[in-house]
Amino acid sequence: AWIKFTIETKREGAKRTSEFKHLASCERDDSKSNEENWNAMIETLTESEGCFVVFDMRFEHGGRQMYRPLLVSWCPDSLGIQEKMLIGSNKDQVKRDLDGIQKSLHASDKDELTYEAARTATL
């Protein structure tokens, strides 16, 4: 399972507010391998849009099936300076705002988002 979102900033006079904007999501599908679910999520990332993804990593520990949320911050090199700053400056805040997020992975190129990199970041 995963959910993809971005942060939308609005200005009203001198006041500036930010809120999460849902982009896409996928329910957990245990009939597929975790790697297949990961690769399907990666396919939704574009070079023209930075975003955050919370991916429900599935793994075995002590003979038990476990799940741990992984926060992925996607900030491709093709983004403008302002968009890059928005992703970078909000990553820690997003992590704090979402209960249960302990692990994260930042990437600017899809080559950095291998399933093995995600597993390593989660464990």
Side-chain angles (χ1 to χ4, degrees):
W2 53 268
I3 184 166
K4 183 169 86 168
F5 58 95
T6 191
I7 295 178
E8 197 170 75
T9 304
K10 297 178 182 176
R11 283 186 190 253
E12 293 177 20
K15 187 178 179 183
R16 194 174 124 190
T17 60
S18 297
E19 58 186 40
F20 296 140
K21 178 183 174 190
H22 177 265
L23 297 175
S25 58
C26 180
E27 292 185 22
R28 184 163 66 203
D29 184 354
D30 288 334
S31 69
K32 293 182 181 177
S33 74
N34 207 36
E35 188 169 5
E36 288 174 309
N37 289 323
W38 176 261
N39 290 333
M41 180 275 295
I42 296 300
E43 289 178 22
T44 70
L45 302 177
T46 67
E47 294 294 320
S48 62
E49 180 176 53
C51 64
F52 296 97
V53 178
V54 176
F55 186 86
D56 202 10
M57 284 296 287
R58 182 175 63 212
F59 60 97
E60 270 195 41
H61 180 71
R64 290 185 1 196
Q65 186 89 329
M66 303 195 56
Y67 294 89
R68 181 176 288 158
L70 173 68
L71 176 65
V72 177
S73 54
W74 170 243
C75 189
D77 290 331
S78 57
L79 294 182
I81 298 293
Q82 234 177 357
E83 292 163 308
K84 287 180 183 181
M85 287 175 55
L86 184 66
I87 297 286
S89 65
N90 283 295
K91 184 176 88 169
D92 289 335
Q93 185 63 45
V94 168
K95 200 171 172 181
R96 282 190 300 271
D97 286 351
L98 299 175
D99 291 336
I101 304 287
Q102 298 172 352
K103 306 292 183 172
S104 63
L105 178 63
H106 178 80
S108 58
D109 188 281
K110 285 189 179 181
D111 291 340
E112 299 170 321
L113 291 174
T114 64
Y115 179 68
E116 193 56 41
R119 278 183 44 88
T120 301
T122 304
L123 300 177

